[in-house]
Amino acid sequence: MIRLRRRPVPPPAPQPGDVLAEAAGLSVRLGAREVLTGVDVAVRAGELLALVGPNGAGKSTLLSVLAADLPPTSGTVRIHGRPASAWSAPELALRRSVLPQSASLSFPFTVEEVVRMGRAPWASARPEEDDAAVAGAMAATEVTGFAARPFSALSGGERARVALARVLAQQAPLLMLDEPTAALDLRHQELVLRLCRERARAGDAVVVVLHDLGLAAAYATRVAVLRAGGVAADGPPDEVFSERLLSEVYEQPVEVLPHPRTGAVLVLPDRDVRGG
Amino acid sequence: MTLLEKPARPEPEQEPEPAPVPAPASAPSPARPRQRRTTAWLSTTGLLAGLLLLIPVAAATGAYHVPLGDVLASIQHRLGIGGGELDRVAESVLWNVRFPRIVLALLVGASLGCAGALMQGVFGNPLAEPGVIGVSSGAAVGAVAAIALGLNFAGNWTVPVLAFVTGLVTVLLVYVMSRSGGRTEVVTLILTGIAVNAFAGALIGLFLFFADTAAVNQITFWQLGSLSQATWPKVLAVLPCAVLGLAVAPLYARRLDLLALGERPARHLGVDVERLRIVLVLVIALLTAAAVSVSGVVGFVGLVVPHLLRMAAGPGHRFLLPGSALLGALVLLAADLTARTVAEPAELPLGVLTALIGSPFFFWLLRRTRRKQGGWA
């Protein structure tokens, strides 16, 4: 019962464009509330997909369902081509990693111990690789400086980066991050999204729930705009981010303009309309 | 869901020192965790040495004094490695009175320490302990029922078996009642403990009411938590429960570490949380039943012991679980030695002694937890 099961085999490296997570005709009901209705989304290798939308649109719920945390009420969810419920927990852990919205810890483990927990799915088959993955993830998120401090003694932003380092150390080909930038300062917001883009360019599939449309426009390869439990638009940010759509979805006038120097898409709330 | 979780209040904002030069990827892990590993090894060695020292001393000390040299000689003789047989009285005192008592103290202490550490890990709460949250009382109900009703369906094992069954029901009950949204709030846990303790107390009272005088005496004495009736058959009665529990617990150490992140993150890292929970609740019930069916409710060992070890060697369960078993055994052996020598020829009840020392510690721990959380919600 304890160690009889064979150790799960890591998946082969995905090819660019492989669909690593997919929802079709997805509906989720939580209690009496229909949180998602008829959602179709695919997450492909080599792509950074941003889920945006107003509060309560169902972004986090969609992420939970794609991560196999939450069973759909109807519709199908496939992870690495197989129905989400067909995978065991250890198999899933080698295929997708998830960053929760808030990180908590019951006991005072140190930062390095927390990051090392991300290596658990690999069952310590290769300790040198574990060390390298942990050190690399800590350096990338700039938490090496307080590796020996207990997690409980960190500020909110530092905790968020440590949690991200743990998720990176897991080295799953599918990353799912729920508001990774919420607690971070300007510099670290950019850092985190750069990291996400690097992972996508290296061939992983990355899904990020974001509130900052500017960040989504700058870094995402594809954006899915959610509204009231459905997908209002899905495509590259410069196609999807139109003033009409965003103003309508957020019920707030929005300006979309090209950056004067680079021409990149800028999204700003139109502050002239009210109070001027 | 996570939205409802109140993020733990961060400590007074400390400016992160942004490491301007990221360490190269090959940089070895910093010194602290390695230090912790060294501390863990040192602590284990220290605990083992302490046990090896205290056992002969406990065997020598008592109303009938046996010189330490004689104790060692007798042990050697029994092991067939030299030494020599003592006179009949000394041999009998050692092997029919003292050693069963010592072994029982070790088993009970190890079970309590390990059960405490496990329970804190499963609940994700450093205040969880079999005595505090009522699991010991729950197990006591089964034991009292067996004594009061004169049950004997499993011979020598009747009391432990019944204690296990009622203990198991209690852990499950407390677990279901005190959790919401994948978390156990301290207040809910303690209040649940009060309710469960009260209910168990009422059931025990009921059994006492209907029991005859001999059974009442036996139960009263047992409830105070004493090891004075130790015999080899008693050791045998709890041995299977304790050994099974102590052997299984360390297999789940890594998964318990991951559980500290919360249920969902643990599942994301490949832990089958539901199965882990079921197995560990069974193990907790086994260990608590082993301890309770011998010596009544001996409180606070499961609280103090893991806490001290966490402060010394960090919260990693790979050391914490076996370490708590060792320190629990050491503490209980020392407590029992004190209980039977400090007021000679009378004997202090063991449960009274551990509660005297443990309650103030529990109080301090409560204050500290409250300060860290910024008050109970």
Side-chain angles (χ1 to χ4, degrees):
Chain A
M1 170 169 153
I2 295 148
R3 294 258 162 86
L4 292 184
R5 265 197 221 172
R6 261 192 302 149
R7 181 169 288 170
V9 186
Q15 298 301 312
D18 280 3
V19 176
L20 296 191
E22 183 181 24
L26 184 73
S27 294
V28 176
R29 183 186 287 276
L30 293 177
R33 207 165 83 88
E34 192 86 19
V35 185
L36 294 174
T37 33
V39 172
D40 297 286
V41 170
V43 188
R44 296 185 186 86
E47 168 179 273
L48 171 52
L49 170 66
L51 301 178
V52 302
N55 292 330
K59 305 181 295 290
S60 293
T61 308
L62 177 56
L63 199 75
S64 302
V65 178
L66 286 174
D69 280 341
L70 205 64
T73 314
S74 63
T76 54
V77 177
R78 300 174 84 83
I79 295 175
H80 286 244
R82 252 216 278 182
S85 54
W87 295 108
S88 72
E91 286 169 331
L92 273 179
L94 289 170
R95 285 167 177 83
R96 60 96 178 87
S97 55
V98 186
L99 180 76
Q101 224 168 61
S102 68
S104 64
L105 192 68
S106 319
F107 297 105
F109 285 98
T110 63
V111 166
E112 203 226 337
E113 285 169 327
V114 171
V115 177
R116 198 167 283 276
M117 287 179 188
R119 296 303 297 167
W122 297 89
S124 290
R126 295 154 292 187
E128 336 64 59
E129 267 179 40
D130 287 354
D131 288 341
V134 170
M138 290 204 301
T141 50
E142 300 189 350
V143 300
T144 315
F146 38 90
R149 293 229 314 254
F151 184 79
S152 47
L154 304 181
S155 75
E158 292 169 327
R159 288 177 187 206
R161 270 146 58 206
V162 173
L164 180 66
R166 170 176 69 74
V167 168
L168 291 177
Q170 199 176 335
Q171 293 183 334
L174 172 59
L175 276 100
M176 307 181 146
L177 317 176
D178 198 349
E179 294 188 27
T181 54
L184 299 183
D185 59 37
L186 193 69
R187 166 184 155 74
H188 289 110
Q189 290 188 4
E190 297 294 322
L191 175 91
V192 165
L193 279 157
R194 258 200 324 272
L195 277 174
C196 292
R197 193 169 59 187
E198 275 169 30
R199 290 293 296 258
R201 284 189 179 150
D204 292 342
V206 186
V207 195
V208 190
V209 172
L210 280 178
H211 270 302
D212 189 324
L213 298 175
L215 283 174
Y219 288 101
T221 23
R222 202 156 60 82
V223 182
V225 184
L226 270 76
R227 174 180 46 186
V231 178
D234 183 348
D238 44 355
E239 284 174 25
V240 167
F241 283 171
S242 70
E243 287 181 1
R244 234 192 80 219
L245 178 85
L246 292 179
S247 304
E248 197 187 305
V249 165
Y250 282 92
E251 293 173 6
Q252 152 79 35
V254 171
E255 281 184 295
V256 177
L257 38 128
H259 189 281
R261 190 163 45 78
T262 61
V265 178
L266 293 179
V267 181
L268 296 170
D270 185 350
R271 294 183 178 118
D272 288 338
V273 176
R274 285 176 206 185
Chain B
M1 244 201 65
T2 39
L3 265 174
L4 300 176
E5 279 179 18
K6 190 175 55 177
R9 168 183 294 202
E11 304 274 298
E13 192 81 16
Q14 278 154 317
E15 266 315 299
E17 317 106 43
V21 191
S26 63
S29 38
R32 179 78 174 281
R34 201 149 292 159
Q35 238 171 41
R36 275 187 170 176
R37 227 166 297 152
T38 321
T39 320
W41 276 114
L42 282 179
S43 311
T44 312
T45 321
L47 288 170
L48 284 172
L51 278 175
L52 284 181
L53 220 73
L54 195 61
I55 290 171
V57 171
T61 319
Y64 183 93
H65 182 71
V66 184
L68 204 55
D70 289 3
V71 173
L72 295 178
S74 180
I75 294 175
Q76 281 180 331
H77 175 72
R78 294 264 170 153
L79 291 176
I81 45 168
E85 206 168 348
L86 311 180
D87 64 85
R88 270 198 32 219
V89 180
E91 277 286 306
S92 171
V93 165
L94 273 187
W95 292 96
N96 294 331
V97 180
R98 298 256 167 88
F99 276 122
R101 185 167 183 158
I102 288 170
V103 173
L104 217 49
L106 295 176
L107 282 177
V108 169
S111 302
L112 286 174
C114 191
L118 276 178
M119 201 168 249
Q120 287 148 26
V122 173
F123 281 84
N125 189 320
L127 288 174
E129 198 256 353
V132 173
I133 68 170
V135 176
S136 293
S137 313
V141 170
V144 168
I147 301 173
L149 305 175
L151 297 180
N152 199 20
F153 58 87
N156 201 5
W157 281 291
T158 312
V159 174
V161 165
L162 267 183
F164 170 69
V165 172
T166 53
L168 184 61
V169 172
T170 321
V171 197
L172 291 173
L173 194 73
V174 172
Y175 194 84
V176 170
M177 293 207 316
S178 66
R179 285 183 83 74
S180 65
R183 276 163 60 91
T184 313
E185 296 284 342
V186 179
V187 186
T188 323
L189 185 68
I190 306 285
L191 291 180
T192 310
I194 292 176
V196 170
N197 268 320
F199 188 65
L203 285 180
I204 292 174
L206 213 58
F207 280 121
L208 276 172
F209 182 76
F210 288 112
D212 57 39
T213 322
V216 169
N217 281 339
Q218 202 188 340
I219 292 169
T220 315
F221 198 73
W222 166 87
Q223 258 187 315
L224 289 171
S226 172
L227 293 170
S228 61
Q229 306 290 311
T231 55
W232 286 120
K234 277 202 174 168
V235 171
L236 265 185
V238 298
L239 196 68
C241 271
V243 168
L244 186 62
L246 291 173
V248 171
L251 300 177
Y252 290 87
R254 273 169 182 280
R255 275 166 274 191
L256 269 177
D257 284 353
L258 300 180
L259 202 58
L261 293 167
E263 278 181 26
R264 273 198 180 181
R267 203 172 293 130
H268 295 153
L269 289 169
V271 179
D272 188 342
V273 177
E274 280 71 30
R275 210 180 62 170
L276 177 72
R277 243 180 349 214
I278 292 169
V279 173
L280 291 183
V281 162
L282 279 172
V283 172
I284 290 169
L286 268 179
L287 290 171
T288 313
V292 167
S293 57
V294 192
S295 57
V297 178
V298 175
F300 301 107
V301 174
L303 190 74
V304 178
V305 162
H307 202 84
L308 289 178
L309 289 176
R310 239 181 250 121
M311 293 201 292
H317 288 88
R318 256 166 299 168
F319 167 70
L320 192 63
L321 293 177
S324 295
L326 285 177
L327 186 58
L330 191 65
V331 164
L332 213 75
L333 185 57
D336 184 50
L337 184 60
T338 315
R340 67 185 166 89
T341 51
V342 78
E344 256 179 328
E347 213 176 88
L348 221 60
L350 184 61
V352 172
L353 192 77
T354 61
L356 263 179
I357 300 169
S359 315
F361 182 83
F362 181 53
F363 185 66
W364 171 77
L365 208 59
L366 264 180
R367 301 259 318 174
R368 217 181 66 129
T369 313
R370 186 180 127 152
R371 200 169 50 239
K372 263 199 344 216
Q373 295 196 347
W376 310 128

